[in-house]
C-alpha cells in the first residue's frame, strides 16, 4: 500500500529536494530528507496501469499549473549508483 505523506515536508516558495527510488515494484519518495511515501505499484490504483519501463515524467503537486520548476535533475542506475545516466 501507500503511506500518507508526513506533514510539513514541503517548503512553499522555496527549492525542495526530492529523491525517488523505484526498484522492481517498490518505490520510496523522500522530500527534504523526510520519507513521505513508500509503497508498491500493485497496491496503488493509480499505478496499476503504468508500465514498469518507458518514459520518465515530471509534474507538480495536484497536476495544476502553479509554475513548478525543476533544476539539478540527475538520473542514476540502481545497478551502479555512481554512474550518472542523465543530468540537466
Amino acid at each position: 500500500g501507500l503511506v500518507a505523506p508526513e506533514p510539513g515536508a514541503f517548503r512553499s516558495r522555496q527549492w525542495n529536494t526530492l529523491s525517488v527510488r523505484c526498484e522492481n515494484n517498490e518505490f520510496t519518495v523522500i522530500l527534504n530528507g523526510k520519507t513521505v511515501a513508500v509503497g508498491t505499484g500493485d497496491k496503488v490504483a493509480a499505478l496499476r496501469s503504468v508500465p514498469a519501463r518507458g518514459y520518465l515524467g515530471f509534474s507538480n503537486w495536484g497536476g495544476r499549473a502553479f509554475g513548478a520548476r525543476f533544476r539539478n535533475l540527475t538520473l542514476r542506475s540502481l545497478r551502479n549508483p555512481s554512474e550518472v545516466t542523465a543530468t540537466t
Side-chain angles (χ1 to χ4, degrees):
L2 190 64
V3 176
E6 183 175 332
F10 177 73
R11 297 186 305 242
S12 181
R13 301 194 181 279
Q14 297 179 43
W15 286 110
N16 290 272
T17 300
L18 181 69
S19 174
V20 179
R21 181 183 175 100
C22 300
E23 188 170 5
N24 299 318
N25 197 32
E26 300 175 357
F27 62 88
T28 303
V29 180
I30 300 171
L31 178 60
N32 298 321
K34 297 180 181 179
T35 301
V36 295
V38 176
T40 56
D42 60 337
K43 305 265 179 159
V44 180
L47 296 177
R48 285 189 196 128
S49 62
V50 177
R53 293 179 173 203
Y55 295 100
L56 178 64
F58 297 95
S59 181
N60 56 344
W61 280 261
R64 297 177 295 258
F66 289 125
R69 297 180 187 183
F70 302 94
R71 69 176 185 175
N72 303 327
L73 300 173
T74 303
L75 184 62
R76 297 183 188 277
S77 166
L78 291 174
R79 291 186 195 116
N80 185 2
S82 63
E83 174 186 320
V84 175
T85 305
T87 188
T88 64

